[in-house]
Amino acid sequence: MSKFRLYLFVCVLIICVTCFSNCAKRGFISGGPMDTIPPVVLNSYPKNYSINFDQSEIKIEFDEFIKLKDISQNLIISPPMKNAPDISPMGTPKKWLTIKIKDTLIPNTTYSFNFGDAIIDNNEGNALSQFKYIFSTGSFIDSLKVEGTIETAHQLKQDNFVNVMLYDATTFKDSTAYTTKPLYVTNTLDSLKTFSLENIKAGTYYLIALKQKTNNYTFNPQQDKIAFIKEPITLPTEDKFNLVLFKSEEKFAAKRPAQISENKWYLPYHGDKTGVNVQITKNDSLIKSMYTFYENKDSLQVWFPKIAADSLQLTVSKEDYLETFTVRPRQKMKEIDTLKITGQDGTIHFNDHFVLKTATPITTINSDLISIINKDSIQVSFEVNAIIDEQKIEFIFDKNEENTYSITALPNAFVDFFGNKNDTLSYKLKTTKYSDYGNLNLKLQGVKRYPIIVQLVDEQEKVYATQIQEKPDIVIFNLLSPKKYFVRIVYDDNKNGRWDTGYYWERRQPEETFYLKEPIDLRANWDINQDIVLP
């Protein structure tokens, strides 16, 4: 073979091997680093911060395709508009955002469109955070602002997405928050704790905040939380305001009852149920009845004997409230409620009471037919406490470590509202060692007034222990189950032993609550001495 032919053969061979190698290395073209840059505004028509604004359409141009996310939750228009504007793109991504105004604009007023985190790019979802489009129908942009913080009363976790609003003090009435939209509004979005109301003109205002299910900017006490500053504020000001959200406990009112069984009705209500009175009559004759609370529901369970009647009158009263419902009992409903009693065997903690739950309300307890025997066959003294409105029976007795307790209730120990009596009931309880528990001593500094309620709660705010302090002293919690506890302190100003919410109509704030923000990690066989400084 000639040198030329050999050279040609080698060249062809190299080319084939190279091609084969390249073909074998299949892969993807690298896209480079992920895009983390939010969309950039290139232009707006009319220009942002325009004065003497008289247009009905706004167009904002971006450097890339954008789309809108959760616009109804993120977009805050201040002052609020009666008719919501049309905003696009709501479907196909575009490089333009268009706002079509459907309201008649107020003269000499600064408007703000705060988009929150609604504007995102089409590919990676990067948000153009807190973008605002602002204009004035007058000759200048208002520049005053109100700042402050928000907290939620008697709640460890704070509410987010809270509307903070200003009302003109010259026209403000007690009913305004219920019926009228504010002059200015902003939203905390997910910042949780702080707010800033901007582009406000000088004047005197009332400051109110609402945590709402529907952002209609009017107060619905059945489902909204409210916060307010009692006195009007005057702008300009350098003051910062703290707003405390609470569920306003409106005056008691009942709703139409619903029959559940032949001897029980549910009576829905709202407001404070304390002290309510319920009566049932037939042809002006009083029928024996009683009510209990329906757990975790705003309803009363009204109990009365099975009775044949075309109609009954159910009268509900409390203080100056009085309403009578005419109800028509239905026969052949599900069977009449009967006495059923349930309890839990097993380990009982030293600070807990043994509790029985009853399906019907208990009216009579015969303690002579009840006994508690420990492991040494010695009878243990006890008290029985019937919590009738909660359909519970508590057994209160001293417990020693590593002991067992047999609780027996003989027939007829419990009699319910309908005369039903129990069969024999037996329960087995035991305790563990003291060293399986921990002790916690709290030294409080900066308490402003007494009495206070000191509670240990978990992250879900379940209460594990409560102490009421009438004067400065160490707060002692012994024999606690090992876990992480948050400390909650309530200023019990009305001295009723519980936290009370506020009532907006009377401009009454909720009782003040303080939380130790970090939990105390209590472990078995530990003694913790904790100093707490209240603000």
Side-chain angles (χ1 to χ4, degrees):
M1 182 182 295
S2 67
K3 289 183 178 181
F4 175 78
R5 295 172 100 183
L6 179 61
Y7 173 77
L8 182 61
F9 174 76
V10 172
C11 288
V12 172
L13 181 62
I14 292 173
I15 291 171
C16 290
V17 171
T18 302
C19 290
F20 177 81
S21 177
N22 288 339
C23 290
K25 294 178 181 177
R26 295 177 177 267
F28 298 95
I29 298 174
S30 173
M34 181 179 291
D35 176 18
T36 59
I37 300 174
V40 175
V41 175
L42 298 180
N43 287 295
S44 55
Y45 308 93
K47 292 291 186 183
N48 205 350
Y49 293 92
S50 292
I51 59 175
N52 299 315
F53 185 96
D54 60 356
Q55 304 296 306
S56 61
E57 183 174 283
I58 301 164
K59 295 181 73 70
I60 303 170
E61 182 184 8
F62 294 88
D63 67 336
E64 59 181 313
F65 286 97
I66 59 118
K67 53 187 178 182
L68 299 177
K69 178 184 178 183
D70 298 330
I71 187 69
S72 61
Q73 185 177 37
N74 275 284
L75 176 61
I76 304 298
I77 304 173
S78 182
M81 294 182 168
K82 293 181 181 179
N83 301 305
D86 290 333
I87 298 177
S88 62
M90 296 304 290
T92 305
K94 297 179 181 178
K95 287 190 175 183
W96 290 88
L97 187 152
T98 303
I99 304 171
K100 294 184 178 180
I101 298 172
K102 300 162 66 176
D103 248 13
T104 300
L105 298 177
I106 305 170
N108 300 314
T109 300
T110 298
Y111 282 83
S112 170
F113 288 71
N114 186 342
F115 284 86
D117 291 330
I119 301 172
I120 61 175
D121 65 27
N122 184 49
N123 294 323
E124 302 296 342
N126 299 310
L128 177 57
S129 185
Q130 302 299 315
F131 170 71
K132 292 183 180 180
Y133 183 86
I134 295 171
F135 63 83
S136 173
T137 56
S139 58
F140 60 89
I141 300 289
D142 293 315
S143 58
L144 299 180
K145 65 181 178 181
V146 177
E147 295 179 305
T149 55
I150 284 196
E151 59 185 283
T152 305
H154 208 63
Q155 187 172 306
L156 183 61
K157 295 182 179 179
Q158 302 302 304
D159 286 302
N160 57 2
F161 291 97
V162 178
N163 292 323
V164 184
M165 306 173 295
L166 289 178
Y167 297 84
D168 185 354
T170 61
T171 59
F172 188 86
K173 300 177 182 178
D174 289 339
S175 61
T176 299
Y178 296 85
T179 60
T180 308
K181 290 186 177 181
L183 280 180
Y184 298 97
V185 63
T186 190
N187 191 284
T188 61
L189 300 179
D190 55 0
S191 69
L192 300 179
K193 190 73 177 172
T194 61
F195 68 88
S196 180
L197 258 166
E198 300 176 345
N199 301 112
I200 305 168
K201 66 176 62 177
T204 303
Y205 303 93
Y206 277 94
L207 177 60
I208 289 178
L210 293 176
K211 172 61 180 176
Q212 297 193 280
K213 291 186 177 180
T214 57
N215 284 328
N216 61 359
Y217 308 120
T218 54
F219 177 41
N220 180 347
Q222 304 305 313
Q223 60 184 23
D224 298 340
K225 293 178 183 177
I226 191 168
F228 63 93
I229 301 298
K230 189 172 183 178
E231 301 299 329
I233 64 174
T234 300
L235 299 186
T237 181
E238 294 183 358
D239 292 340
K240 288 183 169 53
F241 301 92
N242 183 58
L243 291 164
V244 180
L245 282 169
F246 64 95
K247 187 74 166 57
S248 180
E249 193 161 55
E250 303 293 291
K251 285 192 173 183
F252 178 88
K255 302 177 184 178
R256 174 160 290 280
Q259 188 174 4
I260 302 303
S261 66
E262 291 188 12
N263 61 345
K264 181 172 67 178
W265 292 72
Y266 281 168
L267 179 66
Y269 68 89
H270 66 260
D272 181 8
K273 61 184 178 295
T274 305
V276 68
N277 182 52
V278 179
Q279 289 187 337
I280 298 176
T281 55
K282 177 185 176 183
N283 299 327
D284 296 326
S285 297
L286 190 64
I287 295 173
K288 182 181 178 182
S289 65
M290 67 180 300
Y291 70 81
T292 58
F293 303 143
Y294 188 20
E295 191 174 13
N296 299 322
K297 298 286 186 181
D298 287 340
S299 289
L300 303 178
Q301 299 178 104
V302 182
W303 307 87
F304 57 92
K306 181 180 178 180
I307 186 170
D310 292 332
S311 65
L312 299 172
Q313 283 68 49
L314 193 153
T315 301
V316 188
S317 61
K318 181 187 174 182
E319 298 170 349
D320 58 350
Y321 175 82
L322 176 66
E323 186 159 0
T324 298
F325 300 95
T326 298
V327 297
R328 302 186 184 282
R330 289 180 292 163
Q331 306 298 321
K332 298 182 180 180
M333 295 194 67
K334 73 175 188 178
E335 62 185 51
I336 291 177
D337 295 273
T338 57
L339 177 59
K340 296 177 183 177
I341 300 176
T342 56
Q344 189 73 43
D345 293 318
T347 301
I348 185 169
H349 300 303
F350 294 103
N351 294 324
D352 289 348
H353 302 316
F354 179 64
V355 176
L356 295 177
K357 294 184 178 181
T358 65
T360 50
I362 297 296
T363 54
T364 304
I365 298 176
N366 187 344
S367 298
D368 294 336
L369 298 176
I370 304 171
S371 64
I372 302 179
I373 308 294
N374 67 15
K375 69 178 181 180
D376 298 321
S377 299
I378 297 175
Q379 288 215 12
V380 177
S381 62
F382 64 91
E383 295 179 10
V384 181
N385 180 28
I387 309 175
I388 296 175
D389 52 15
E390 296 181 16
Q391 294 174 223
K392 293 180 181 178
I393 305 169
E394 285 185 340
F395 291 77
I396 305 168
F397 61 97
D398 292 331
K399 295 171 279 292
N400 298 318
E401 65 177 334
E402 296 186 286
N403 213 324
T404 60
Y405 300 91
S406 299
I407 299 178
T408 303
L410 297 176
N412 303 326
F414 306 113
V415 182
D416 74 4
F417 173 74
F418 302 103
N420 301 313
K421 301 173 182 179
N422 66 290
D423 295 326
T424 299
L425 302 170
S426 297
Y427 302 95
K428 299 287 187 181
L429 305 175
K430 64 179 181 178
T431 58
T432 60
K433 297 179 293 184
Y434 291 143
S435 59
D436 291 337
Y437 296 84
N439 303 315
L440 177 60
N441 302 315
L442 303 178
K443 183 178 180 181
L444 307 181
Q445 301 176 36
V447 177
K448 293 181 284 189
R449 56 193 180 274
Y450 288 90
I452 58 172
I453 304 168
V454 185
Q455 295 180 316
L456 302 181
V457 303
D458 62 14
E459 194 170 5
Q460 284 70 47
E461 306 210 44
K462 177 183 176 181
V463 178
Y464 287 86
T466 299
Q467 296 275 9
I468 296 178
Q469 296 292 112
E470 301 282 351
K471 60 183 180 179
D473 204 349
I474 303 296
V475 187
I476 300 173
F477 294 98
N478 286 330
L479 298 173
L480 297 169
S481 298
K483 67 184 294 96
K484 291 183 178 180
Y485 294 99
F486 289 91
V487 178
R488 179 168 70 195
I489 297 171
V490 176
Y491 287 98
D492 187 19
D493 292 327
N494 62 4
K495 301 180 181 181
N496 65 352
R498 61 182 175 88
W499 175 78
D500 289 282
T501 189
Y503 181 26
Y504 173 73
W505 189 258
E506 293 180 353
R507 311 289 279 170
R508 186 177 74 238
Q509 298 282 2
E511 288 184 323
E512 186 178 355
T513 302
F514 166 82
Y515 283 89
L516 186 64
K517 296 302 182 184
E518 295 299 324
I520 297 173
D521 189 4
L522 182 65
R523 301 185 183 183
N525 207 28
W526 277 25
D527 291 288
I528 293 181
N529 299 307
Q530 179 80 37
D531 290 341
I532 298 178
V533 180
L534 280 72

